[in-house]
């Protein structure tokens, strides 16, 4: 029987300065990131290497999608990874622009080229894995995809305008996105995807972890069809449900300010330790 966790009390807010939060994050292995705390006060985490290589975050405009993506990205950078930020809104993750381990792309043509280039990197990593047996020596790469549904539609329109006679009708960037989602956790390329509403183009089946914030009942039923009873939504800042497998965990997402996120990302775990 599909279920949701029993309703209890969530913290009103969860900050980096709260007792024990920094220690919790430092204690996690490099393939795990803290989303926030659940109703039992315990951490709610993502296991990138064993369960969920990609994460999908839904919330209405102003509902905390970019904040949740910021919290997750800062931790992965702190753990020694690199990030590619695709931000057609141009203003979603400004804290990351100056970081040496981040590549930031805002124009649709540049986002197109970045995804096509990422597809080439995927092939290189697959070749590396075939030759050496694993990819553990390759840096973990996080792709932060803001307003993904809208951007995928823009990428399709962009390709319709620029493609030459004889070239494929499907956008190579959209094709690359789909193939990258299928690549698997062993390639060490992870997508953190933000959207305001459900779109089949996002590839819901490839996301083992879905965060649902202030969304409609329809988005809930489409994004997490395995949850029979849609939990009541909340307008409380940072309040999400973390859907993993057949359970929806009420979660107070860790809130990192832009300054905190930049500082946490810049101080890698080895340096901080």
């Amino acid at each position: 029987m599909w279920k949701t966790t029993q309703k209890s009390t969530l913290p009103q807010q969860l900050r980096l300065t709260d007792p024990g939060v920094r220690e919790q994050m430092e204690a996690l292995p490099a393939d795990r990131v803290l989303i926030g705390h659940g109703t039992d006060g315990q951490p709610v985490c993502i296991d990138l290497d064993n369960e969920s290589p990609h994460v999908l975050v839904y919330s209405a405009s102003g509902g905390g999608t970019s904040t949740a993506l910021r919290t997750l990205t800062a931790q992965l950078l702190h753990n020694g990874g690199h990030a590619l930020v695709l931000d057609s809104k141009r203003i979603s993750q400004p804290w990351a622009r100056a970081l040496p381990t981040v590549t930031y792309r805002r124009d649709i043509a540049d986002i197109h080229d970045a995804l096509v280039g990422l597809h080439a990197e995927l092939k290189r990593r697959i070749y590396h894995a075939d030759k050496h047996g694993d990819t553990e020596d390759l840096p973990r790469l996080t792709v932060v995809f803001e307003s993904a549904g809208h951007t995928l539609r823009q990428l399709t329109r962009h390709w319709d305008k620029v493609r030459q006679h004889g070239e494929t009708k499907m956008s190579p960037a959209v094709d690359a996105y789909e193939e990258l989602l299928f690549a698997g956790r062993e390639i060490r390329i992870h997508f953190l995807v933000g959207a305001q509403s459900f779109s089949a183009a996002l590839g819901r089946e490839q996301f083992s972890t879905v965060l649902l914030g202030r969304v409609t009942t329809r988005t809930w039923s489409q994004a997490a069809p395995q949850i029979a009873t849609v939990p009541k939504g909340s307008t409380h800042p940072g309040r999400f449900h973390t859907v993993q497998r057949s359970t929806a965990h009420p979660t107070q997402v860790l809130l990192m300010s832009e300054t905190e996120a930049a500082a946490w990302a810049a101080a890698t775990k080895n340096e901080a330790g």
Side-chain angles (χ1 to χ4, degrees):
M1 182 72 177
W2 306 122
K3 62 184 183 298
T4 60
T5 54
Q6 292 297 314
K7 185 176 180 181
S8 185
T9 303
L10 287 169
Q12 286 297 304
Q13 196 177 62
L14 185 64
R15 299 299 302 259
L16 190 62
T17 52
D18 289 347
V21 172
R22 289 175 178 267
E23 291 77 9
Q24 281 181 350
M25 291 196 294
E26 289 288 9
L28 292 173
D31 62 339
R32 295 197 182 189
V33 289
L34 176 70
I35 303 172
H37 283 184
T39 53
D40 57 359
Q42 294 300 307
V44 179
C45 298
I46 304 165
D47 184 342
L48 293 168
D49 284 351
N50 296 306
E51 294 184 358
S52 184
H54 311 300
V55 181
L56 184 54
V57 183
Y58 284 111
S59 193
S61 179
T65 301
S66 294
T67 300
L69 294 178
R70 179 169 71 225
T71 289
L72 301 178
T73 304
Q75 293 177 71
L76 287 164
L77 291 171
H78 179 81
N79 291 343
H82 296 250
L84 169 65
V85 178
L86 308 177
D87 180 19
S88 62
K89 290 172 66 176
R90 312 181 74 83
I91 58 170
S92 296
Q93 305 292 343
W95 64 275
R97 290 180 193 166
L99 295 174
T101 52
V102 174
T103 300
Y104 208 106
R105 295 291 180 262
R106 292 171 287 184
D107 295 329
I108 288 299
D110 291 337
I111 292 174
H112 169 97
D113 292 346
L115 284 168
V116 172
L118 194 60
H119 187 254
E121 172 64 11
L122 168 64
K123 290 183 176 180
R124 186 183 76 83
R125 290 187 178 216
I126 291 173
Y127 174 79
H128 181 94
D130 289 343
K131 186 175 182 179
H132 300 285
D134 60 53
T135 56
E136 290 185 4
D137 58 332
L138 295 175
R140 195 179 299 276
L141 175 59
T142 301
V143 184
V144 185
F145 200 174
E146 287 276 359
S147 302
H150 175 68
T151 303
L152 288 170
R153 291 190 293 273
Q154 286 185 299
L155 287 167
T156 297
R157 290 194 292 269
H158 168 75
W159 182 244
D160 285 343
K161 293 177 182 178
V162 303
R163 72 183 180 93
Q164 302 296 310
H165 179 73
E167 290 184 312
T168 177
K169 290 185 177 180
M170 183 173 185
S171 162
V174 175
D175 185 55
Y177 170 77
E178 293 179 357
E179 190 164 344
L180 284 156
L181 287 183
F182 276 97
R185 57 186 61 84
E186 67 277 2
I187 302 302
R188 295 168 65 86
I189 298 176
H190 308 286
F191 272 79
L192 306 181
V193 175
Q196 293 182 9
S197 60
F198 179 84
S199 168
L202 296 175
R204 165 64 187 92
E205 297 80 5
Q206 306 308 316
F207 295 90
S208 299
T209 296
V210 179
L211 273 63
L212 288 153
R214 198 169 70 236
V215 298
T216 64
T217 301
R218 180 180 180 183
T219 294
W220 245 106
S221 62
Q222 293 173 317
Q226 72 272 35
I227 306 300
T229 302
V230 175
K232 184 178 180 181
S234 173
T235 59
H236 188 84
R239 196 64 54 87
F240 280 78
H241 278 82
T242 302
V243 178
Q244 294 173 319
R245 299 182 181 178
S246 60
T247 303
H249 305 276
T251 306
Q252 184 64 35
V253 171
L254 171 64
L255 171 61
M256 281 189 182
S257 70
E258 293 188 355
T259 300
E260 288 172 334
W264 191 259
T268 62
K269 183 170 285 190
N270 289 337
E271 293 173 350

